[in-house]
Amino acid sequence: MSQLTEDALSRDGVVVTRAACPEAASAACAACLASALDGLERKLALPQTMAERMRGPSLRHFVPVCLASAAVEEPFATALRAALAGEAGALLEAALGRDAELRELQVIVSEPGAAAQDVHSDSSWGASRVITASVALHDVLDERMGPTHFWPQTHAAPWLPPTEALAAERRSVWYALRAGDAVLMDACTWHRGGAN
């Protein structure tokens, strides 16, 4: 692991590791994507609740992955093992320690027409440290595809809750990713899914 990369995660709250899932695991990324899209198809086929009908159609979906499910275990387990065996895993260990827990595993699908999310963070200052690792399951090379935008150096003290007005005063970044690249982000870092 590069000391520069470890320093960047501490300093900026967000860092990219290229080929976190190496080429040998790229078939696992493709299988994860196929499995997630299949799960999304099944979810969308279910009857909607009254609240979902009132909200209207959502074009950004969060598909939870259950590693205990035989139908999805293998591709996700393979991709996860590959990512944790390299630089991404070393960064997570340096930031969280060897006994860190995996809290959740999900796939985010942003369909064409999805609006940008509000600027937010996934945690607040003073909570237990959480690092989110996002592995690209396909190439995201065009900003029009709705990649996540990050506001570096918004994760540390003096931490402020994100607002659109504060975000407008700072520079955001997004990363062009190839399938298998990973973004690691301190959960206090301001970010938002972009418009697709």
Side-chain angles (χ1 to χ4, degrees):
M1 170 183 57
S2 157
Q3 184 63 42
L4 292 174
T5 307
E6 185 177 348
D7 291 346
L9 181 59
S10 294
R11 181 190 65 237
D12 295 334
V14 61
V15 68
V16 174
T17 62
R18 301 294 176 186
C21 285
E23 216 169 296
S26 63
C29 286
C32 289
L33 179 59
S35 177
L37 293 175
D38 184 56
L40 178 59
E41 290 282 329
R42 287 193 309 274
K43 177 183 171 186
L44 293 176
L46 295 173
Q48 289 184 322
T49 66
M50 180 61 78
E52 289 168 333
R53 282 194 294 276
M54 290 175 67
R55 273 197 310 267
S58 172
L59 299 174
R60 181 173 279 107
H61 310 279
F62 299 86
V63 183
V65 175
C66 177
L67 287 175
S69 169
V72 296
E73 183 178 61
E74 186 46 41
F76 287 99
T78 298
L80 188 57
R81 277 192 301 271
L84 292 177
E87 185 178 45
L91 279 167
L92 289 169
E93 184 177 335
L96 302 172
R98 264 188 102 62
D99 296 329
E101 289 181 19
L102 176 64
R103 288 198 178 172
E104 68 178 316
L105 187 59
Q106 67 179 348
V107 176
I108 301 172
V109 178
S110 171
E111 295 184 73
Q117 294 177 307
D118 291 335
V119 176
H120 63 282
S121 63
D122 294 338
S123 189
S124 58
W125 183 252
S128 298
R129 189 164 193 205
V130 174
I131 302 292
T132 300
S134 301
V135 177
L137 298 181
H138 62 81
D139 292 350
V140 181
L141 304 174
D142 186 331
E143 189 174 10
R144 293 173 296 179
M145 294 176 73
T148 302
H149 289 246
F150 303 92
W151 278 259
Q153 301 178 0
T154 56
H155 67 296
W159 186 80
L160 296 171
T163 65
E164 295 295 327
L166 287 173
E169 296 172 5
R170 297 174 179 242
R171 177 186 63 87
S172 70
V173 297
W174 70 277
Y175 301 101
L177 303 172
R178 296 268 180 207
D181 290 347
V183 177
L184 277 66
M185 174 192 76
D186 186 296
C188 289
T189 301
W190 301 358
H191 62 285
R192 76 163 155 223
N196 186 344

